[in-house]
Amino acid sequence: MSAAGRIVIEGIGMVGSFGCGVSDFSRALADGGSRPASLAVSTGSGPIEIPAHLADTSPLSEFVPARTLRRIDRFSRLALLGSFLALRDAGLADTERRRLGLIVASGHGATGITYAFLESFIKDGDICASPTHFANSVHNSAAANISILSGIAGPCLTVSQFHLSVPSALATALRWLAEGRADRVLFAAVEELSELIGYAWYRRRGGAKSVPMTPLRTAEETAVPAEGAACLLLSRAEAARGGYCALGEAVTGSRPDDGFPLPDAGLLVLSADGRKDAGRRFAALARNARIACYTPLYGSMPAGPAFDLAAAALILKGGRIFPSPGDAALDFPATVPAGGELLGAPRVSCLTLGDGATFGLATLENP
Amino acid sequence: MTTTEKLKNILVEDLNLEELTPGDIDDDAPLFGEGLGLDSLDAVELVVIVQKHFGIEIRNMDEGRTAFQSIRSLAAYIDERLPVR
């Protein structure tokens, strides 16, 4: 890609169990520090507590008045907070948002308010369904809230493709920028950990026992459900003022495990998140690559690959690879050691796997 | 608990008036515009709230306009229509 067509990550906004903002995320990457809390879930055999990476949205009051927030659900609040943080990180003024596009990526969407709306239907009848719940349950509502409250006037889209939501939405963002539909795109990957998602996790796991997340030990099921937002301000190089790194490509596809050509990158960041089925495929694909994995810092969620992108951007900017948190990675001999190490290469790729043989791959590079 | 007190609790909870407590709401303050500051979408929510929590259906705009003047007028509207116990 020519310098004129280059896309730059100009700002980053992070919200998760590690805290809020780039500095909290960087600290967690360096220290390996983020512990799951717990989420109360109702089950047929009574209430239980499950381990969960939960995020605090209270810093949103710095950007949006409380009265305005009262109709905005938790999913949108997470998306809004990450978005405002990314815009502030880039120093983007209100007057620069006319040609700013917006893409929200989420595997689950606004499950809390959607199921509250459906439950009110079942419990009280359709005549008593809340119009506010309905408005928030609409697929594009978070994107609409971000667009209205932050003054974004460009195209606006929500992409949901479960585990491939992030690479798919990222590819669309790059297309918009290449076509000149916008000078910048705010890319917001978001998940909300509602009680419903917690219950689904409990049923999948068959219990609520908490174990440390060890995603690089692929024979074990150690996923811990999570919520959060990872937002990137993507800008055409000619419009950007500085930034973290360039975004080379983002692709999705389908390949057999033994025929996957790994990119020529100095590091491969894996979105392995403790799900055993995906873990086996990661091991088959990347066993001999120099790899890192940061999911124990923010947990298991379909939007996780966007957190990997933010980590990769910080690695490229600082030139040093953060250590992978968790126990020794028996299935990946070339894992970055506990103390971290110098990157010594101009590119970092992020690999995520979807269902079947599907994959998503994004490559970041130094300009 | 009186209907007025119950209404204040429900409004704070169901309309997410996070910056208010039920005790902050004046019985005679206008619900819309100045006063509690509710808007047209809240009017629809109020119709749902009254039906859901009190089993009373507000059938037309004239009834609603009279009832939705204040907490006091809404409580009176509800009390007049509640079955005698």
Side-chain angles (χ1 to χ4, degrees):
Chain A
M1 184 177 283
S2 69
R6 191 179 289 274
I7 306 304
V8 174
I9 296 179
E10 198 178 5
I12 297 176
M14 306 297 292
V15 186
S17 58
F18 49 81
C20 175
V22 174
S23 56
D24 282 357
F25 186 57
S26 299
R27 195 175 307 119
L29 285 166
D31 300 344
S34 177
R35 300 245 180 277
S38 65
L39 176 72
V41 173
S42 301
T43 73
S45 51
I48 59 162
E49 298 274 332
I50 64 167
H53 284 275
L54 300 174
D56 175 19
T57 61
S58 61
L60 188 54
S61 60
E62 186 184 338
F63 301 100
V64 184
R67 185 47 78 101
T68 305
L69 283 176
R70 73 189 175 91
R71 287 205 189 103
I72 294 178
D73 72 308
R74 181 166 182 78
F75 180 77
S76 283
R77 289 185 188 207
L78 288 161
L80 272 167
L81 180 54
S83 297
F84 276 112
L85 290 168
L87 294 171
R88 184 169 71 180
D89 187 49
L92 197 70
D94 294 350
T95 53
E96 296 176 289
R97 298 178 188 182
R98 279 198 68 76
R99 287 186 47 77
L100 172 60
L102 169 65
I103 298 183
V104 171
S106 178
H108 291 136
T111 53
I113 203 77
T114 300
Y115 281 86
F117 178 65
L118 292 175
E119 194 172 357
S120 73
F121 250 78
I122 295 164
K123 196 173 162 192
D124 303 310
D126 56 354
I127 202 160
C128 287
S130 161
T132 305
H133 284 187
F134 171 72
N136 277 307
S137 72
V138 174
H139 189 60
N140 211 33
S141 64
N145 282 323
I146 297 169
S147 180
I148 292 165
L149 292 173
S150 63
I152 291 176
C156 173
L157 179 72
T158 300
V159 173
S160 188
Q161 202 178 328
F162 206 38
H163 288 296
L164 295 185
S165 300
V166 166
S168 181
L170 202 58
T172 303
L174 291 179
R175 176 71 55 91
W176 282 8
L177 291 163
E179 291 173 350
R181 293 183 65 182
D183 291 335
R184 294 179 169 92
V185 172
L186 178 59
F187 173 82
V190 194
E191 299 297 346
E192 170 197 16
L193 180 50
S194 63
E195 188 183 352
L196 177 95
I197 298 297
Y199 179 73
W201 179 88
Y202 163 75
R203 290 299 302 265
R204 176 189 165 95
R205 284 283 298 270
K209 189 182 166 203
S210 177
V211 295
M213 247 177 102
T214 53
L216 299 181
R217 292 180 175 229
T218 57
E220 299 165 17
E221 179 80 25
T222 63
V224 173
E227 66 179 4
C231 303
L232 308 174
L233 182 64
L234 307 175
S235 309
R236 293 161 66 96
E238 60 269 30
R241 294 177 300 262
Y244 291 86
C245 62
L247 180 55
E249 64 170 357
V251 295
T252 59
S254 180
R255 296 276 177 87
D257 286 356
D258 58 357
F260 193 92
L262 287 176
D264 178 23
L267 177 71
L268 192 60
V269 179
L270 305 182
S271 71
D273 61 356
R275 289 175 300 119
K276 199 161 58 173
D277 49 353
R280 287 197 198 98
R281 290 182 60 214
F282 275 113
L285 286 168
R287 184 178 299 278
N288 296 314
R290 186 193 196 194
I291 63 111
C293 179
Y294 303 111
T295 54
L297 299 178
Y298 42 81
S300 171
M301 57 182 146
F307 292 72
D308 299 337
L309 288 168
L314 292 168
I315 289 169
L316 277 164
K317 187 166 188 186
R320 188 166 182 82
I321 307 173
F322 302 103
S324 298
D327 290 345
L330 301 178
D331 300 331
F332 299 88
T335 305
V336 173
E341 62 186 16
L342 290 174
L343 174 62
R347 274 183 292 280
V348 175
S349 287
C350 298
L351 176 65
T352 187
L353 300 178
D355 295 330
T358 57
F359 71 92
L361 189 68
T363 299
L364 280 62
E365 55 198 19
N366 275 325
Chain B
M1 187 183 286
T2 65
T3 303
T4 302
E5 290 166 338
K6 191 174 173 186
L7 260 179
K8 288 179 181 178
N9 287 330
I10 292 169
L11 258 53
V12 168
E13 180 73 20
D14 285 15
L15 300 182
N16 291 324
L17 303 173
E18 293 170 359
E19 77 281 20
L20 292 178
T21 66
D24 294 332
I25 301 175
D26 183 343
D27 290 5
D28 294 309
L31 292 178
F32 297 91
E34 290 181 23
L36 206 53
L38 304 185
D39 58 24
S40 56
L41 186 53
D42 291 311
V44 184
E45 289 283 2
L46 276 176
V47 172
V48 172
I49 283 170
V50 170
Q51 176 146 4
K52 184 173 158 185
H53 292 276
F54 300 95
I56 294 168
E57 190 178 346
I58 298 175
R59 294 175 189 277
N60 58 57
M61 282 180 61
D62 288 339
E63 275 191 23
R65 198 170 286 125
T66 306
F68 291 165
Q69 295 297 311
S70 64
I71 287 285
R72 190 185 300 280
S73 65
L74 183 54
Y77 179 88
I78 291 167
D79 284 337
E80 284 168 16
R81 286 158 180 79
L82 280 177
V84 179
R85 275 168 287 188

